[in-house]
Amino acid sequence: MTLTPDQQAEIDALRGQTQTTLRATVPGMEQHLYHARPVLDHGFVRVIDYMGDDSAICQAARVSYGRGTKSVSNDEGLIRYLMRHWHSTPFEMCEIKLHVKLPVFVARQWIRHRTANVNEYSARYSILDREFYIPAPEALAAQSTVNNQGRGEALSGEEADRVLRYLRDDAMRAYDHYEEMISDEGQQGLARELARMNLPANIYTQWYWKVDLHNLLHFLRLRADAHAQYEIRVYAEAICEMVKDWVPAAYKAFEDYRMGGATLSAGALDCVRRMLNGEEVTQENSGMSKGEWREFQGVIGSQ
Amino acid sequence: MTLTPDQQAEIDALRGQTQTTLRATVPGMEQHLYHARPVLDHGFVRVIDYMGDDSAICQAARVSYGRGTKSVSNDEGLIRYLMRHWHSTPFEMCEIKLHVKLPVFVARQWIRHRTANVNEYSARYSILDREFYIPAPEALAAQSTVNNQGRGEALSGEEADRVLRYLRDDAMRAYDHYEEMISDEGQQGLARELARMNLPANIYTQWYWKVDLHNLLHFLRLRADAHAQYEIRVYAEAICEMVKDWVPAAYKAFEDYRMGGATLSAGALDCVRRMLNGEEVTQENSGMSKGEWREFQGVIGSQ
Amino acid sequence: MTLTPDQQAEIDALRGQTQTTLRATVPGMEQHLYHARPVLDHGFVRVIDYMGDDSAICQAARVSYGRGTKSVSNDEGLIRYLMRHWHSTPFEMCEIKLHVKLPVFVARQWIRHRTANVNEYSARYSILDREFYIPAPEALAAQSTVNNQGRGEALSGEEADRVLRYLRDDAMRAYDHYEEMISDEGQQGLARELARMNLPANIYTQWYWKVDLHNLLHFLRLRADAHAQYEIRVYAEAICEMVKDWVPAAYKAFEDYRMGGATLSAGALDCVRRMLNGEEVTQENSGMSKGEWREFQGVIGSQ
Amino acid sequence: MTLTPDQQAEIDALRGQTQTTLRATVPGMEQHLYHARPVLDHGFVRVIDYMGDDSAICQAARVSYGRGTKSVSNDEGLIRYLMRHWHSTPFEMCEIKLHVKLPVFVARQWIRHRTANVNEYSARYSILDREFYIPAPEALAAQSTVNNQGRGEALSGEEADRVLRYLRDDAMRAYDHYEEMISDEGQQGLARELARMNLPANIYTQWYWKVDLHNLLHFLRLRADAHAQYEIRVYAEAICEMVKDWVPAAYKAFEDYRMGGATLSAGALDCVRRMLNGEEVTQENSGMSKGEWREFQGVIGSQ
């Protein structure tokens, strides 16, 4: 259960109120409104509001390019053209507002994306709930042995048990003490803004997050990527499902040019040209470092 | 006539299509959709889309402050509290998208407000129309004699006539030459991106401009102010009329705390306290410069 | 001890290397370079670099206002004028880069100021140190009984002891478990990016933070304010001491117009005018709510 | 002659004053300080100030990645790694401040890059100089016949002569009328903020522009590109020369990964893989549109 009864009641009430509007409206996106999509054990993402659609992107582009854009036969082609040529401003003309419930350590990564509007639950002002992220067994991964910033196999056996016990017990104890410290029964009661410092980073917080489509796609490219931490990636993936229904043409171009694409350096492009000319190119004669060569192989490899 | 037949046809078509939505909808704002509000001689402002309403501001604030905000009896009181205490993030949760047609010299002032999304007509790509701002007689003001950055009385008589003649004739001649230079009849035809440099700053351009309510109110505070240049102020005033219908409680608080309010320095506050205590305070014993004192008098004076 | 031996050695080496430059240089600010100013029990702020000085503010303003600014007799007067009239862009022409060590819950407040550049220590990549903020006895405050977001008196006696014991013991236990979980001795070792979730919000992190003077002053106005949480206020105050030595004229104007100043609403200004005219104004006939009236009294009161 | 005598005198005075500092200093960049580099017929770029160097980028990255970055053997390798993986925040830790004199139509393109600080000469406040950009004969290009947004061959003969005559005469006449309208001799004199609207877009303006290295490189990638308009490209190229001397390792990585690199879509990467496997890939079986295929050929072609 991820929403409080109050929140659910508010949502149900709002869901019942259909309005008429002259604004651009996307039936597929309306389906997402007021439905909280569960993420992790207690988190969720839900769309609060949205502005614009695929046509709005084209409409803005056509203001810029005037009659010139008439030559592009259709909206999808225009959107692909804009994405390919990094014309980002038309994508900024769409906006989305999400309500997200997420662990604090995920929130700390997320907030680095600065071009967005945020209203977060204030633990200075209000009391946090007793809700902590405890990884599912298959997400309880070992440190990667090849990558400082990655994960290896899932832990198993006694080690996994001990980790889960620590995470659960430490969270519960920290929260017990939090409650005890702020209590004003028979004592003064510690200020909330101080007591919260005892709570670990897997406690859940929530916020409203509003962002334009261009910056959202940038966020998704980094956070829905295979190298992103699993716990933020699942949020990014949940949002991808929404964007796909909201601006299908833009999302398709995004998948092709951003998620599935790759940037090759001048040196790498030169190697591709030499290889296409039949030359045998190796790391040694490529001019690339071992790391670059490995990544290059990953991009152009036959897999 | 400020819209092209194409634009008008597109607007009429869109106006006919009422959609149903679960999103927050403001009847007063729906009235503005697809109606271009004329500004200056050929300009306009029209609302393309909007997100949120007064309730959306409160909803976001309540996420931040949690149960604490229950104590504030109603939305209007909460909005006033937020405005008074410079809590800007809840206002960022509303967004508006405008289509604006405006002279280039106004656009150059406007664009200094950086926290917004913009798609401007590209004179590199397309051909500008023959439309120039020519001030109405009463707007044809003399340089202020007391303020480097201000206007005095309207010009009159022969001087006014000459100015209008210059503005009109120079604009027409510049446009004739622009057309002649880009023409490819019997010649190569100069590149548009070069030919446009011959056009004066009173030519009209247009753009889509999208901004959140917090940054919009900041823009309006500066540009709807009596010290703003008349030609941008009329746009700001037209937008004020829309905001008033969109988020009436926020607009009312804005009028009271921002447009009608004033910031007093520590020194000025000290003078107010001394005056309330019956002391005779003059510029000489106020600790303020002459300029500051004059402004202070303007703020607290009985006028 | 707030710096690692490595960091101290690097600092000492850099301190020994005086360079010559043609750039604007502020002797008072040079004194701060490479000196870490202690804040809280394990934190610090130190200036890494700075750009510009009081003259740089005026130089930029004079580009904007051209010959017009010659009439302002001196730099200090011009800076006061710019500050009074909210001309913020000249202040953006100065920049500062700080290295800050701070508890995570302070970092979370700080980062809400989005217009800045940040490089934070990555607990995904590296191992955090065993350093936690434990409040000094006098900072161990009770929840305010009048303000949801404030502090009352310091706790005392057994309650204070218990709180300190909880904070210390929970932090130590959480860190013990953190170390145990990531250890790869005789086990796989949990990924760092997961293990960190067990650590409470009073653990220290560090970052480089770079910001322009305008946005820094905005940060300081909010965070050096009496209503800011003590734990971030002490950082803001430490930075104020640096800014005072860096751009003394700008800092002085900031103190007068921002820190010591106040914004009065249209209604409040009207009350001031009525009071100066000898009228008896009370909350009832002021048009203000009780909350507004109390704040108004605080601003113009005789205290 | 691009600087006023006043500006030159100020520069000479500042150039004579060497300061000592503990800040990061780049000898190659010091050479640029106070030297205006001419661009176009009356424009220039000059470095006013800078913050940071190649080491500052690494220093910030090492705060983030802690001990992990020790494994990268040297600064140049680390910088290449950061650039390749789009880790932009360390590059934001360097900052540059430029004084630029440029035609208004170039300024209008430039200002679209919003993440920068700007102080522009105010034509509302002050009187503009009689200086206009008149293209050199070889820059007087025809409209491209293949690209709405491009240039073809240079105009020649009578057509070129007529264009130059129009540009010169219209500018001179517009400026004569500007002067006449603002004159207060024997008349009131039109307000400057109005009179400026008569001036064409090739008049010169000037500004201070301050930006961090990450955003500067983004600007340079777009504006030093072959598809950028010539008149802004020459400014970008002049700045490239400065950046090369300021942060040589970062600039080299930028050239390899950004300027010389290319982003391939998922579909294009698939084609590369098929071609490397010996398959004959044509536009028809590539899944690309004609436009995409042409661009793809440009990237991997043998030329």
Side-chain angles (χ1 to χ4, degrees):
Chain A
M1 174 53 198
T2 56
L3 283 165
T4 66
D6 271 13
Q7 285 177 329
Q8 191 58 55
E10 184 198 341
I11 287 171
D12 291 344
L14 289 165
R15 239 203 117 61
Q17 296 164 11
T18 303
Q19 316 283 343
T20 61
T21 186
L22 290 165
R23 290 174 291 168
T25 301
V26 183
M29 195 62 167
E30 293 285 329
Q31 296 301 317
H32 288 289
L33 283 173
Y34 304 115
H35 283 150
R37 190 186 178 92
V39 184
L40 297 179
D41 52 354
H42 299 290
F44 63 76
V45 180
R46 66 184 185 101
V47 186
I48 297 297
D49 208 340
Y50 67 92
M51 174 189 280
D53 55 8
D54 276 330
S55 296
I57 299 167
C58 298
Q59 189 188 31
R62 291 199 168 98
V63 166
S64 293
Y65 307 120
R67 286 177 277 275
T69 44
K70 289 283 162 61
S71 62
V72 178
S73 49
N74 56 40
D75 279 10
E76 192 177 329
L78 177 56
I79 284 174
R80 286 181 67 81
Y81 176 89
L82 296 169
M83 185 75 76
R84 190 159 74 248
H85 291 264
W86 303 87
H87 290 201
S88 54
T89 54
F91 297 99
E92 295 175 17
M93 288 292 151
C94 294
E95 188 93 8
I96 194 169
K97 181 160 52 175
L98 303 171
H99 181 189
V100 188
K101 187 170 169 189
L102 71 179
V104 162
F105 71 94
V106 174
R108 296 240 295 140
Q109 281 196 342
W110 195 308
I111 202 76
R112 289 191 203 161
H113 297 263
R114 287 159 295 179
T115 311
N117 310 115
V118 186
N119 272 102
E120 186 178 352
Y121 187 86
S122 169
R124 210 188 153 195
Y125 205 92
S126 302
I127 300 170
L128 285 161
D129 290 326
R130 187 193 285 266
E131 284 185 311
F132 296 87
Y133 167 60
I134 305 295
E138 64 274 16
L140 209 67
Q143 176 71 23
S144 163
T145 51
V146 295
N147 183 346
N148 261 332
Q149 191 169 287
R151 293 186 184 187
E153 301 289 298
L155 301 185
S156 60
E158 207 183 314
E159 185 180 0
D161 292 346
R162 192 171 57 249
V163 165
L164 284 176
R165 199 173 60 242
Y166 282 162
L167 292 177
R168 277 197 201 104
D169 290 358
D170 288 357
M172 288 306 113
R173 187 186 302 104
Y175 196 85
D176 287 345
H177 291 169
Y178 171 69
E179 276 192 317
E180 208 179 312
M181 291 190 288
I182 61 177
S183 166
D184 57 3
E185 290 188 30
Q187 64 177 15
Q188 294 177 272
L190 184 64
R192 290 166 194 173
E193 65 181 29
L194 284 171
R196 62 167 161 170
M197 80 169 78
N198 202 52
L199 295 167
N202 57 341
I203 195 163
Y204 275 89
T205 184
Q206 51 180 292
W207 62 32
Y208 272 39
W209 190 65
K210 178 170 148 287
V211 68
D212 67 60
L213 179 58
H214 167 66
N215 280 287
L216 178 62
L217 292 178
H218 184 68
F219 172 86
L220 294 177
R221 184 171 72 82
L222 295 177
R223 303 304 176 181
D225 185 86
H227 294 91
Q229 180 165 353
Y230 167 78
E231 280 77 19
I232 196 167
R233 200 168 67 231
V234 287
Y235 283 90
E237 287 166 353
I239 297 171
C240 281
E241 292 304 309
M242 295 162 175
V243 177
K244 195 182 287 184
D245 289 335
W246 174 27
V247 281
Y251 188 77
K252 200 150 166 288
F254 167 70
E255 276 190 311
D256 192 20
Y257 291 113
R258 298 286 183 275
M259 290 305 285
T263 299
L264 297 183
S265 69
L269 288 173
D270 190 51
C271 288
V272 168
R273 288 185 208 109
R274 286 161 60 194
M275 290 158 86
L276 290 173
N277 281 336
E279 194 180 326
E280 182 78 16
V281 181
T282 63
Q283 188 253 313
E284 286 71 20
N285 69 17
S286 71
M288 296 189 213
S289 71
K290 279 179 185 160
E292 280 182 82
W293 180 256
R294 194 170 49 235
E295 290 167 26
F296 175 64
Q297 290 296 102
V299 167
I300 59 117
S302 54
Q303 74 289 39
Chain B
M1 175 51 200
T2 56
L3 284 165
T4 66
D6 271 12
Q7 286 177 330
Q8 192 58 53
E10 184 200 340
I11 287 171
D12 290 345
L14 289 166
R15 242 203 114 63
Q17 298 164 10
T18 303
Q19 317 282 345
T20 62
T21 186
L22 291 165
R23 291 174 291 168
T25 301
V26 182
M29 195 61 168
E30 293 284 329
Q31 296 301 317
H32 288 289
L33 282 173
Y34 304 116
H35 284 151
R37 190 185 179 93
V39 184
L40 298 178
D41 51 355
H42 299 290
F44 63 76
V45 179
R46 67 185 185 99
V47 185
I48 297 295
D49 208 339
Y50 65 94
M51 173 189 281
D53 56 8
D54 275 331
S55 296
I57 299 167
C58 297
Q59 188 187 32
R62 290 200 168 99
V63 166
S64 295
Y65 307 120
R67 285 177 277 276
T69 44
K70 290 283 164 59
S71 62
V72 178
S73 49
N74 57 39
D75 279 9
E76 192 176 330
L78 177 55
I79 284 174
R80 285 181 68 80
Y81 175 90
L82 296 169
M83 184 76 76
R84 189 159 77 249
H85 292 263
W86 303 87
H87 290 200
S88 53
T89 55
F91 297 100
E92 295 174 17
M93 289 291 150
C94 294
E95 188 92 10
I96 194 170
K97 182 160 54 176
L98 303 171
H99 182 189
V100 188
K101 187 170 171 188
L102 70 179
V104 162
F105 71 94
V106 173
R108 296 239 297 138
Q109 281 196 344
W110 195 307
I111 203 76
R112 289 190 204 162
H113 297 263
R114 285 159 296 179
T115 311
N117 310 115
V118 186
N119 272 103
E120 185 177 354
Y121 187 87
S122 169
R124 208 188 155 195
Y125 204 93
S126 301
I127 299 169
L128 286 162
D129 290 325
R130 187 192 285 267
E131 283 183 313
F132 296 88
Y133 168 60
I134 306 295
E138 63 274 17
L140 208 68
Q143 176 70 22
S144 164
T145 52
V146 294
N147 182 347
N148 261 331
Q149 191 170 291
R151 293 185 184 189
E153 299 290 297
L155 302 185
S156 60
E158 207 184 314
E159 185 180 359
D161 293 346
R162 192 170 58 248
V163 164
L164 286 176
R165 197 172 61 241
Y166 283 163
L167 292 177
R168 276 196 202 106
D169 291 357
D170 289 356
M172 287 307 111
R173 186 186 302 104
Y175 196 85
D176 288 345
H177 291 167
Y178 170 68
E179 277 193 316
E180 208 180 311
M181 290 190 288
I182 60 177
S183 165
D184 56 3
E185 291 187 31
Q187 63 177 15
Q188 292 178 273
L190 184 65
R192 290 166 193 173
E193 65 181 29
L194 284 171
R196 63 168 161 171
M197 80 169 78
N198 202 52
L199 296 166
N202 57 342
I203 195 163
Y204 275 89
T205 183
Q206 50 180 294
W207 63 32
Y208 272 38
W209 189 64
K210 178 168 148 289
V211 68
D212 67 61
L213 178 58
H214 167 67
N215 280 289
L216 177 62
L217 292 178
H218 183 69
F219 172 85
L220 295 176
R221 185 171 72 83
L222 295 177
R223 303 304 177 181
D225 185 87
H227 295 91
Q229 180 164 355
Y230 167 78
E231 280 78 17
I232 196 166
R233 199 168 70 232
V234 287
Y235 283 91
E237 286 167 355
I239 297 171
C240 281
E241 293 304 309
M242 295 163 176
V243 177
K244 195 183 289 183
D245 289 335
W246 174 29
V247 282
Y251 188 76
K252 200 147 164 290
F254 166 71
E255 276 191 311
D256 193 20
Y257 291 113
R258 298 284 183 277
M259 290 306 284
T263 299
L264 297 183
S265 69
L269 288 172
D270 190 52
C271 287
V272 168
R273 289 186 207 108
R274 287 160 60 194
M275 290 159 85
L276 289 174
N277 281 336
E279 193 179 328
E280 182 80 16
V281 181
T282 62
Q283 188 252 313
E284 286 71 21
N285 70 16
S286 71
M288 296 188 212
S289 70
K290 280 181 184 161
E292 280 182 81
W293 180 256
R294 194 170 50 233
E295 290 168 26
F296 175 65
Q297 290 296 104
V299 168
I300 59 115
S302 54
Q303 76 289 38
Chain C
M1 175 52 199
T2 56
L3 283 164
T4 65
D6 271 13
Q7 285 177 329
Q8 191 59 54
E10 184 199 341
I11 288 170
D12 290 345
L14 289 166
R15 237 200 120 63
Q17 296 164 11
T18 304
Q19 315 283 343
T20 61
T21 185
L22 290 165
R23 291 174 290 168
T25 301
V26 182
M29 196 61 167
E30 293 284 330
Q31 296 300 318
H32 288 289
L33 283 173
Y34 305 115
H35 283 150
R37 192 186 175 91
V39 183
L40 298 178
D41 52 354
H42 299 290
F44 62 78
V45 179
R46 68 185 183 99
V47 186
I48 297 295
D49 209 339
Y50 66 93
M51 175 190 278
D53 56 8
D54 275 330
S55 296
I57 299 166
C58 298
Q59 188 188 31
R62 291 199 168 98
V63 166
S64 294
Y65 306 120
R67 284 176 279 276
T69 43
K70 289 283 163 59
S71 62
V72 178
S73 48
N74 57 39
D75 279 10
E76 193 176 329
L78 176 55
I79 285 174
R80 287 181 67 82
Y81 176 90
L82 296 169
M83 184 76 77
R84 189 159 76 249
H85 292 263
W86 303 87
H87 290 201
S88 53
T89 54
F91 296 101
E92 295 175 17
M93 289 290 151
C94 294
E95 188 92 9
I96 194 170
K97 182 160 54 176
L98 302 172
H99 181 189
V100 188
K101 188 170 168 188
L102 70 179
V104 161
F105 72 95
V106 174
R108 297 240 294 139
Q109 282 197 342
W110 196 306
I111 203 78
R112 289 191 205 162
H113 297 264
R114 287 159 294 179
T115 311
N117 311 113
V118 186
N119 273 101
E120 186 178 353
Y121 187 87
S122 168
R124 207 187 155 196
Y125 205 92
S126 301
I127 300 168
L128 286 161
D129 290 326
R130 187 193 284 268
E131 282 184 312
F132 297 87
Y133 168 60
I134 306 295
E138 64 275 16
L140 208 67
Q143 178 69 22
S144 165
T145 52
V146 294
N147 182 346
N148 261 331
Q149 191 169 291
R151 293 187 184 186
E153 299 291 297
L155 302 184
S156 60
E158 208 182 314
E159 184 180 359
D161 293 346
R162 192 171 55 251
V163 164
L164 285 176
R165 199 173 58 242
Y166 282 163
L167 292 177
R168 276 197 202 105
D169 291 357
D170 288 356
M172 287 306 112
R173 187 186 302 103
Y175 196 86
D176 288 345
H177 291 167
Y178 170 68
E179 277 193 316
E180 208 180 313
M181 290 190 288
I182 60 177
S183 166
D184 55 3
E185 290 187 30
Q187 64 176 16
Q188 292 178 273
L190 184 64
R192 290 166 193 172
E193 66 181 27
L194 285 171
R196 62 168 162 169
M197 80 168 78
N198 202 51
L199 295 168
N202 58 343
I203 196 164
Y204 276 90
T205 183
Q206 53 181 292
W207 63 32
Y208 272 39
W209 190 63
K210 178 170 148 288
V211 68
D212 68 60
L213 179 58
H214 167 66
N215 281 288
L216 178 63
L217 292 178
H218 184 67
F219 172 87
L220 295 176
R221 184 171 73 83
L222 295 176
R223 303 304 176 181
D225 185 87
H227 295 92
Q229 180 164 353
Y230 167 78
E231 281 76 16
I232 197 167
R233 199 168 71 232
V234 286
Y235 284 91
E237 287 167 354
I239 296 171
C240 281
E241 293 304 308
M242 294 162 176
V243 177
K244 195 184 288 183
D245 289 335
W246 174 28
V247 281
Y251 188 77
K252 200 149 167 289
F254 167 70
E255 277 191 311
D256 193 21
Y257 291 112
R258 298 286 183 275
M259 290 304 285
T263 299
L264 297 182
S265 70
L269 288 173
D270 190 52
C271 288
V272 168
R273 288 186 207 108
R274 286 160 61 195
M275 290 160 86
L276 289 175
N277 281 336
E279 194 180 326
E280 182 79 16
V281 181
T282 63
Q283 189 254 310
E284 287 71 21
N285 69 16
S286 71
M288 297 189 212
S289 70
K290 279 181 186 161
E292 280 182 82
W293 180 255
R294 194 170 50 235
E295 291 168 25
F296 175 64
Q297 291 296 103
V299 167
I300 60 117
S302 56
Q303 76 289 33
Chain D
M1 175 52 200
T2 56
L3 284 164
T4 66
D6 271 12
Q7 285 177 329
Q8 191 58 54
E10 184 199 340
I11 287 170
D12 291 345
L14 290 166
R15 239 201 117 63
Q17 295 164 12
T18 304
Q19 315 282 344
T20 61
T21 186
L22 290 165
R23 291 174 290 168
T25 300
V26 183
M29 196 61 167
E30 293 284 329
Q31 296 301 317
H32 289 288
L33 284 172
Y34 304 116
H35 283 150
R37 190 184 177 94
V39 184
L40 297 179
D41 52 353
H42 300 290
F44 62 76
V45 180
R46 67 186 184 99
V47 186
I48 297 295
D49 209 339
Y50 66 93
M51 175 189 279
D53 55 9
D54 276 329
S55 296
I57 299 166
C58 298
Q59 189 187 31
R62 291 199 167 99
V63 166
S64 294
Y65 306 120
R67 284 178 278 278
T69 43
K70 289 283 162 59
S71 62
V72 178
S73 49
N74 56 40
D75 278 11
E76 192 176 330
L78 177 55
I79 285 174
R80 286 181 67 81
Y81 176 90
L82 297 169
M83 185 75 77
R84 190 159 74 248
H85 292 263
W86 303 86
H87 290 201
S88 55
T89 55
F91 296 100
E92 295 175 15
M93 288 292 150
C94 294
E95 188 93 8
I96 195 170
K97 182 160 53 175
L98 302 172
H99 181 190
V100 188
K101 188 170 170 188
L102 71 179
V104 162
F105 71 94
V106 174
R108 297 241 295 139
Q109 281 197 344
W110 195 307
I111 204 76
R112 291 191 202 161
H113 296 264
R114 287 158 296 179
T115 311
N117 311 115
V118 186
N119 271 103
E120 186 178 354
Y121 187 88
S122 168
R124 208 187 154 197
Y125 205 93
S126 300
I127 300 169
L128 285 161
D129 290 325
R130 185 192 286 267
E131 283 183 312
F132 297 88
Y133 167 61
I134 305 295
E138 63 275 16
L140 207 68
Q143 177 71 22
S144 164
T145 52
V146 294
N147 183 346
N148 261 332
Q149 191 170 289
R151 292 187 184 187
E153 300 289 298
L155 302 185
S156 60
E158 208 183 315
E159 185 180 0
D161 292 346
R162 191 171 58 250
V163 165
L164 286 176
R165 197 172 61 243
Y166 282 164
L167 293 177
R168 275 197 201 103
D169 290 357
D170 287 357
M172 287 307 113
R173 186 186 304 101
Y175 196 85
D176 287 345
H177 292 167
Y178 171 68
E179 276 193 318
E180 209 179 311
M181 291 190 287
I182 61 177
S183 165
D184 57 2
E185 290 188 31
Q187 63 176 15
Q188 292 177 273
L190 184 64
R192 289 167 193 171
E193 66 181 29
L194 285 172
R196 61 167 162 171
M197 80 168 76
N198 202 52
L199 296 167
N202 57 341
I203 195 164
Y204 275 89
T205 183
Q206 51 181 293
W207 62 32
Y208 272 39
W209 191 63
K210 179 170 147 287
V211 68
D212 68 60
L213 179 58
H214 167 66
N215 281 288
L216 178 62
L217 292 178
H218 184 68
F219 172 87
L220 294 177
R221 184 170 73 82
L222 295 177
R223 303 304 177 181
D225 185 87
H227 295 91
Q229 181 165 354
Y230 167 77
E231 280 77 18
I232 197 167
R233 199 168 69 231
V234 286
Y235 283 91
E237 287 167 353
I239 297 171
C240 281
E241 294 302 310
M242 294 163 175
V243 177
K244 195 183 289 184
D245 288 335
W246 174 28
V247 282
Y251 188 76
K252 201 149 164 288
F254 167 71
E255 277 191 310
D256 193 21
Y257 291 113
R258 297 287 182 275
M259 291 303 286
T263 300
L264 297 183
S265 69
L269 288 173
D270 191 49
C271 288
V272 168
R273 288 186 208 107
R274 286 160 62 195
M275 290 158 85
L276 289 175
N277 281 337
E279 194 180 327
E280 181 80 13
V281 181
T282 62
Q283 189 252 314
E284 286 71 21
N285 69 16
S286 70
M288 296 189 213
S289 71
K290 280 181 184 160
E292 279 183 82
W293 179 255
R294 195 170 50 236
E295 290 169 26
F296 175 64
Q297 289 297 103
V299 168
I300 59 115
S302 55
Q303 75 287 45

